[in-house]
């Protein structure tokens, strides 16, 4: 990974720690208190051993040190418990805030942007990658402070007793962070590649599960199994490379720590045998000094070893942060209606007229999808939009829904669209697409999605309008009947009519419909169109469609081809003109 990128990601990670609140500071403070308790515990143990072995004192004479030792052990247990609690809470709050930021960003960018990646890739970002930030905040950041404080505290108490032991500790301590940095250079890059592989595998697997019936029918199941195996094997190999780095780091850190402790043990051993005579300020080396230093020696290196262990959490967090930062910092155009939730919500939308002047729909990256086009839709008009696949029809609908940025003028009742509160605008429109999204839950929860306070009678009235009330009434659980994930258990026509009931519940002033009968049989299509015609009577309606019988009663038809508005008019006018619209009709007849 590029060093500048790694630094910027690390800076971003540290900038988010305010989300942890005071819990991160409390966890760090408890770690400091634990360090002090460690010194106190070593002091009591060294005094007890010195008194029993060298001075021949009785346990009663050493009672104060026994009591001190018990207090220190109890204190360390309590501190460890609350430190873990506070650390977890800090990480939990951070994850909640990041997930909220990601979800809010996705809401602002809208479905047109989300469709650029498979659902599995988004699931990987929202779930796994956010989850992998936890240890960075709950463990690594507090350990950064403790890795400096606790060794320094131990050096402060060791040097006045024996400067030679202090020098050994001071000289060997840098070896651990030095090697940790060397290992960390590759760990962040390995984690980044691992997350990329996981995201790719998640998206690949989700697409294949959703299209399993298609794969079976085209006899591609075996081939896709091999591709999934290859993607899984790629993820496995990358995961193992990350684990190898983690195990290598831990092994070497343990080696240097053990070597340093061994040097101290040899020094004190030879000093007690009178083969070495330095480091004691001329006072000699007592058993208390040797035991006190040797007990503290493992604790001196432990914070550094823990930092080395948690350094893997930093590499993991940097790898996860790359795609998170890319998403959260994705530019939002100034005229994006989704950003203007504080704008005008006083405009009267009881009737809706729409006027576009040099209207150009763009992608988030600035690519032109449609336009420039101009059109005028009067309040109460029913307008149909036709064109070949990819002409730009859905892009126009997405812009009207506030999901895509645009250039030029888009006026709603004479007022600029980008100045209107987007939530207020959506409260006055009803949306129905060709592939309705019903959520896992009851019929009632899906119908009342826009108005949770809706009564059961109101729900049944809406279902009656959508000609699906008989099906719901005959269900053993009625309105409490469950709809599974991906609308499993109900037909496409039933799902479309439930979605229609949900749309009718908006009490909308404008209906925006994207081929609402494309996936339906003739009977279901007629039922849906009949309900829509009744509901939209006297209301503005914009519908994308390919079906001729849905065009004859339209007040105006917009014909779009290759992102341009090439014809418009009533059905009879366009037929008599014998232009592109007639060619579309001939293709449908064939």
């Amino acid at each position: 990974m590029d060093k500048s990128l790694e630094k910027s990601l690390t800076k971003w990670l540290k900038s988010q720690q305010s989300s942890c609140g005071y819990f991160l500071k409390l966890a760090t403070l408890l770690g400091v208190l634990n360090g002090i308790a460690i010194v106190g515990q070593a002091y009591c143990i060294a005094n007890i051993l010195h008194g029993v072995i060298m001075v021949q004192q009785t346990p009663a004479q050493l009672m104060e040190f026994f009591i001190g030792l018990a207090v220190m052990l109890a204190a360390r247990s309590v501190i460890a418990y609350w430190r873990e609690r506070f650390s977890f809470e800090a990480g939990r709050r951070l994850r909640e805030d990041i997930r909220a930021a990601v979800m809010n960003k996705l809401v602002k960018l809208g479905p047109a942007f989300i469709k650029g990646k498979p659902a599995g890739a988004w699931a990987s970002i929202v779930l796994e990658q956010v989850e992998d930030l936890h240890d960075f905040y709950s463990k690594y950041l507090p350990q950064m402070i403790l890795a400096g404080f606790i060794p320094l505290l131990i050096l402060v108490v060791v040097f006045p007793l024996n400067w030679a032991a202090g020098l050994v500790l001071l000289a060997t301590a840098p070896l651990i962070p030095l090697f940790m940095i060397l290992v960390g250079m590759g760990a962040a890059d390995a984690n980044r590649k691992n997350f990329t592989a996981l995201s790719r595998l998640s998206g690949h697997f989700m697409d294949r599960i959703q299209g399993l019936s298609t794969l079976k029918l085209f006899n591609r199941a075996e081939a896709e199994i091999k591709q999934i195996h290859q993607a899984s094997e790629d993820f496995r190999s990358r995961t193992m490379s990350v684990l190898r780095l983690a195990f290598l780091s831990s092994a070497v850190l343990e080696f240097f720590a053990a070597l340093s402790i061994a040097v101290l043990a040899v020094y004190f051993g030879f000093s007690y045998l009178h083969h070495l005579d330095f480091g004691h300020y001329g006072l000699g080396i007592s058993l208390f000094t040797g035991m006190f230093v040797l007990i503290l020696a493992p604790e001196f290196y432990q914070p550094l070893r823990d930092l080395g262990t948690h350094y893997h959490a930093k590499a993991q967090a940097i790898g996860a942060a790359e795609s998170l930062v890319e998403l959260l910092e994705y530019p939002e155009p100034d005229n994006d209606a989704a950003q203007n939730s504080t704008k005008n919500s006083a405009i009267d939308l009881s009737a809706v007229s729409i006027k576009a002047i040099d209207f150009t729909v763009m992608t988030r990256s600035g690519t032109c999808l449609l336009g420039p086009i101009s059109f005028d839709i009067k309040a109460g008009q029913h307008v149909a939009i036709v064109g070949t696949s990819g002409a730009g029809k859905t892009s126009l609908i997405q812009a009207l829904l506030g999901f895509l940025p645009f250039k030029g003028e888009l006026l709603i009742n004479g007022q600029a669209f980008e100045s209107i509160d987007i939530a207020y605008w959506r409260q006055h429109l009803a949306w129905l697409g060709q592939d309705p999204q019903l959520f896992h839950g009851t019929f009632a929860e899906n119908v009342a999605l826009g108005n949770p306070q809706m009564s059961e009678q109101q729900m049944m009235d809406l279902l009656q309008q959508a000609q699906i009330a008989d099906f719901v009434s005959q269900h053993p659980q009625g309105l409490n009947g469950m709809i599974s994930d991906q609308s499993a258990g109900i037909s496409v026509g039933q799902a479309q009519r439930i979605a229609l009931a949900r749309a009718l519940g908006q009490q909308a002033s404008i209906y925006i419909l994207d081929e609402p009968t494309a996936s339906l049989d003739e009977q279901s299509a007629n039922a849906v169109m009949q309900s829509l015609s009744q509901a939209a009577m006297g209301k503005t309606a914009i519908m994308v469609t390919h079906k001729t019988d849905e065009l004859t009663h339209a007040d105006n038809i917009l014909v779009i081809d290759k992102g341009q508005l090439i014809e418009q008019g009533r059905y009879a006018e366009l037929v008599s003109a014998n232009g592109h619209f007639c060619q579309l009709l001939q293709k449908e007849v064939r």
Side-chain angles (χ1 to χ4, degrees):
M1 181 183 291
D2 181 69
K3 289 300 174 186
S4 59
L5 175 60
E6 184 176 350
K7 287 182 179 178
S8 66
L9 292 176
T10 303
K11 183 178 180 181
W12 179 83
L13 287 169
K14 291 182 177 179
S15 69
Q16 304 301 310
Q17 68 184 43
S18 58
S19 298
C20 300
Y22 57 85
F23 291 99
L24 185 62
K25 295 178 180 178
L26 285 175
T28 305
L29 176 61
L30 289 176
V32 170
L33 294 177
N34 184 57
I36 296 172
I38 287 171
V39 174
Q41 176 183 300
Y43 178 80
C44 292
I45 293 174
N47 271 296
I48 291 171
L49 292 174
H50 180 81
V52 171
I53 297 172
M54 303 302 297
V55 188
Q56 305 296 316
Q57 289 180 306
T58 64
Q61 294 174 306
L62 298 169
M63 187 55 65
E64 58 182 306
F65 295 111
F66 280 110
I67 294 173
L69 178 60
V71 170
M72 292 301 165
L73 289 173
R76 289 192 65 189
S77 299
V78 173
I79 288 171
Y81 172 79
W82 285 105
R83 184 185 171 197
E84 285 297 319
R85 290 289 301 269
F86 290 148
S87 295
F88 178 82
E89 183 64 21
R92 185 189 67 80
R93 292 190 171 214
L94 182 281
R95 284 180 286 128
E96 282 186 353
D97 283 1
I98 295 295
R99 279 204 178 96
V102 168
M103 296 304 295
N104 289 336
K105 187 71 174 185
L106 291 176
V107 169
K108 289 181 179 180
L109 294 176
F113 175 82
I114 293 173
K115 287 181 180 178
K117 284 185 179 182
W122 292 120
S124 175
I125 290 176
V126 175
L127 299 176
E128 285 93 345
Q129 297 194 29
V130 173
E131 198 70 26
D132 283 323
L133 299 179
H134 177 84
D135 284 351
F136 177 80
Y137 295 93
S138 66
K139 299 184 183 300
Y140 178 77
L141 286 181
Q143 197 61 40
M144 282 280 291
I145 297 175
L146 299 180
F149 173 80
I150 293 179
L152 182 61
L153 174 65
I154 292 175
L155 286 176
V156 168
V157 297
V158 167
F159 261 108
L161 296 175
N162 191 289
W163 58 264
L167 285 178
V168 171
L169 294 175
L170 186 62
T172 55
L175 294 175
I176 293 177
L178 176 62
F179 183 79
M180 184 175 64
I181 291 171
L182 293 175
V183 173
M185 289 180 180
D189 190 51
N191 273 283
R192 180 182 61 83
K193 292 178 180 177
N194 190 48
F195 281 122
T196 301
L198 175 60
S199 178
R200 186 164 52 246
L201 176 61
S202 299
H204 189 88
F205 183 72
M206 184 72 73
D207 287 344
R208 270 55 186 178
I209 289 294
Q210 290 177 341
L212 186 59
S213 58
T214 303
L215 295 174
K216 285 284 188 182
L217 292 172
F218 283 88
N219 198 29
R220 290 291 301 172
E222 291 297 327
E224 290 300 326
I225 288 173
K226 291 180 181 179
Q227 289 191 18
I228 291 175
H229 173 73
Q230 291 175 355
S232 301
E233 184 64 21
D234 178 51
F235 177 64
R236 183 198 66 80
S237 63
R238 294 184 186 279
T239 301
M240 293 306 297
S241 67
V242 173
L243 291 175
R244 278 195 298 271
L245 284 170
F247 288 134
L248 175 64
S249 173
S250 298
V252 175
L253 295 180
E254 291 294 335
F255 170 77
F256 280 120
L259 182 64
S260 303
I261 295 170
V263 170
L264 283 174
V266 169
Y267 163 71
F268 282 113
F270 277 95
S271 295
Y272 290 137
L273 294 173
H274 306 292
H275 294 304
L276 295 177
D277 188 25
F278 61 88
H280 48 70
Y281 302 106
L283 300 176
I285 301 177
S286 65
L287 180 62
F288 166 80
T289 302
M291 294 306 300
F292 183 62
V293 174
L294 287 174
I295 292 171
L296 287 180
E299 303 295 345
F300 178 84
Y301 297 106
Q302 189 60 47
L304 298 172
R305 295 208 303 262
D306 289 344
L307 183 61
T309 302
H310 301 324
Y311 195 81
H312 177 67
K314 177 190 176 184
Q316 195 174 34
I318 290 175
E322 185 175 16
S323 55
L324 288 170
V325 172
E326 182 182 358
L327 171 63
L328 293 174
E329 294 184 353
Y330 197 89
E332 299 174 23
D334 293 337
N335 69 343
D336 189 355
Q339 297 186 48
N340 296 311
S341 59
T342 59
K343 297 299 179 67
N344 185 10
S345 60
I347 181 175
D348 182 13
L349 293 178
S350 57
V352 175
S353 65
I354 302 174
K355 185 174 184 180
I357 304 172
D358 295 329
F359 182 67
T360 303
V361 182
M362 316 290 290
T363 65
R364 297 285 172 179
S365 58
T367 304
C368 177
L369 296 173
L370 171 74
I373 63 173
S374 299
F375 58 85
D376 192 359
I377 301 175
K378 305 296 184 184
Q381 277 191 332
H382 289 192
V383 176
I385 304 173
V386 299
T388 57
S389 179
K393 308 183 298 297
T394 300
S395 297
L396 174 57
I397 294 297
Q398 292 285 330
L400 292 176
L401 293 172
F403 292 138
L404 281 176
F406 60 84
K407 294 181 180 178
E409 289 186 81
L410 180 63
L411 305 177
I412 307 297
N413 293 350
Q415 185 165 323
F417 180 65
E418 59 268 27
S419 68
I420 301 173
D421 177 1
I422 189 63
Y424 180 71
W425 163 248
R426 288 173 182 161
Q427 287 174 4
H428 290 79
L429 65 84
W431 154 255
L432 187 63
Q434 56 183 305
D435 187 19
Q437 176 65 55
L438 299 183
F439 299 95
H440 177 75
T442 64
F443 293 123
E445 288 170 342
N446 275 276
V447 173
L449 185 66
N451 181 16
Q453 307 303 320
M454 191 180 297
S455 68
E456 289 191 4
Q457 185 57 51
Q458 289 175 313
M459 295 180 204
M460 292 305 300
D461 290 342
L462 293 173
L463 291 168
Q464 187 68 46
Q465 291 181 53
Q467 301 189 36
I468 192 68
D470 290 343
F471 169 75
V472 175
S473 299
Q474 292 169 8
H475 192 281
Q477 294 176 296
L479 284 169
N480 293 320
M482 294 297 297
I483 299 175
S484 301
D485 296 329
Q486 304 298 319
S487 303
I490 59 176
S491 69
V492 175
Q494 290 166 343
Q496 188 74 319
R497 279 178 277 181
I498 291 172
L500 173 59
R502 180 175 63 192
L504 297 177
Q506 286 287 91
Q507 299 296 312
S509 303
I510 177 171
Y511 285 76
I512 299 181
L513 315 166
D514 188 359
E515 301 196 57
T517 62
S519 303
L520 304 181
D521 57 75
E522 184 176 356
Q523 182 179 357
S524 297
N526 291 336
V528 168
M529 287 308 301
Q530 182 181 351
S531 299
L532 283 172
S533 298
Q534 294 175 355
M537 191 175 297
K539 309 287 182 66
T540 305
I542 301 174
M543 179 172 65
V544 173
T545 184
H546 285 103
K547 297 187 177 182
T548 306
D549 56 349
E550 295 174 358
L551 299 173
T552 54
H553 299 295
D555 298 314
N556 192 19
I557 300 173
L558 306 181
V559 184
I560 296 177
D561 185 50
K562 297 179 181 178
Q564 297 295 320
L565 178 60
I566 58 175
E567 289 181 294
Q568 62 176 312
R570 296 183 67 89
Y571 181 85
E573 296 171 353
L574 294 175
V575 170
S576 62
N578 197 28
H580 187 75
F581 180 72
C582 286
Q583 296 177 17
L584 294 176
L585 294 181
Q586 291 171 5
K587 289 180 181 178
E588 183 183 351
V589 171
R590 290 174 191 169

